[in-house]
Amino acid sequence: MSVRIAPSILSADFAHLGRDIAAAEAGGADLIHVDVMDGHFVPNLTLGPPVIRAVKRVATRPLDVHLMISNPDPFLKAYVDAGASLLSVHVEVLPHLHRTVAAIKELGAQAGVVLNPSTPVSALEEVAADLDFVLVMSVNPGFGGQTFIPRALDKIRAVRDMLGRAGSRAFIEVDGGVDLTNIAAVAEAGASVVVAGHAVFGQPDAAAAVRALRAAAQGMGA
Ligand code: DX5
Ligand code: ZN
């Protein structure tokens, strides 16, 4: 299966983001995944538009910005202006999801909606046709380096089926605990973008780690 690999800078060295992003790109990273956390929706704090603007200056791949924040609507423009090409928001915090998705698209970014592990696939049925992508969380969001929740594989298949029924062309992204042991199964289940934090930046050589993930995704082993 051919997948796009999106290394998550959450596990990179924040004092050397440019160096680490360059290494991941040298290994063939397709996107750069940026995790925004507000200490409210998730129990952790990370970064915001100023850091994304700086990352945008050095990255050569599109920025895939994942908003784990309680109140994303007032900040969508700031994130797109800072450099997000893909922007995803959590369904769990959005009573007016249809409006939010439309707003992201109007700003010129690809619009994604994220499902926490406990959120049913049916939460997206009514907006499926409007989405550019669905992000399936395979850990509870908030931290890098957690263990992949096996049930996520069934969830990916269920999202794929739901999108098919809705006639949606949205692709599926998977985030959390993806590594050499499970990336092939994640791709096989229907993911076309996989996020990898610890499996890239937690390794001694980020470029080699991206290459190993791609080989594993294609069933060629590490
Ligand atoms: C988790 C974040 C992930 C995280 C993935 O809340 O959304 O993007 O960085 O890291 P790993 O691949 O280490 O689980
Ligand atoms: Zn993420």
Side-chain angles (χ1 to χ4, degrees):
M1 300 292 286
S2 146
V3 292
R4 287 188 288 165
I5 297 176
S8 164
I9 61 169
L10 186 60
S11 291
D13 180 345
F14 275 39
H16 296 99
L17 275 180
R19 178 199 69 189
D20 284 5
I21 289 168
E25 291 181 343
D30 298 287
L31 303 165
I32 300 299
H33 186 83
V34 182
D35 289 305
V36 177
M37 304 185 186
D38 66 353
H40 186 260
F41 176 60
V42 291
N44 199 2
L45 283 163
T46 54
L47 50 83
V51 174
I52 294 175
R53 207 171 299 119
V55 165
K56 179 68 183 167
R57 288 207 316 270
V58 296
T60 65
R61 312 307 301 166
L63 303 186
D64 168 32
V65 175
H66 174 190
L67 296 182
M68 284 159 276
I69 64 179
S70 292
N71 185 24
D73 288 318
F75 304 105
L76 301 174
K77 185 172 187 313
Y79 284 102
V80 174
D81 286 350
S85 296
L86 294 81
L87 190 61
S88 58
V89 291
H90 274 259
V91 61
E92 297 85 6
V93 298
L94 288 164
H96 310 293
L97 185 59
H98 181 270
R99 180 191 293 154
T100 304
V101 167
I104 294 171
K105 290 163 85 167
E106 267 165 37
L107 289 165
Q110 287 192 279
V113 176
V114 193
L115 295 172
N116 274 339
S118 63
T119 304
V121 174
S122 58
L124 295 188
E125 262 173 27
E126 299 299 329
V127 293
D130 301 312
L131 301 178
D132 293 309
F133 64 105
V134 174
L135 200 175
V136 176
M137 288 308 302
S138 40
V139 298
N140 289 291
F143 303 94
Q146 301 183 80
T147 302
F148 185 86
I149 298 171
R151 161 104 186 117
L153 292 174
D154 281 341
K155 182 95 165 269
I156 297 164
R157 285 187 276 267
V159 170
R160 189 186 59 191
D161 292 348
M162 183 275 292
L163 292 172
R165 282 196 304 277
S168 172
R169 299 163 66 96
F171 64 84
I172 299 174
E173 176 172 17
V174 175
D175 185 5
V178 175
D179 62 18
L180 292 174
T181 70
N182 55 31
I183 190 170
V186 168
E188 183 63 35
S192 53
V193 176
V194 292
V195 176
H198 181 74
V200 172
F201 295 115
Q203 310 306 312
D205 181 341
V210 175
R211 285 192 286 268
L213 283 168
R214 191 176 305 284
Q218 293 166 344
M220 295 193 290

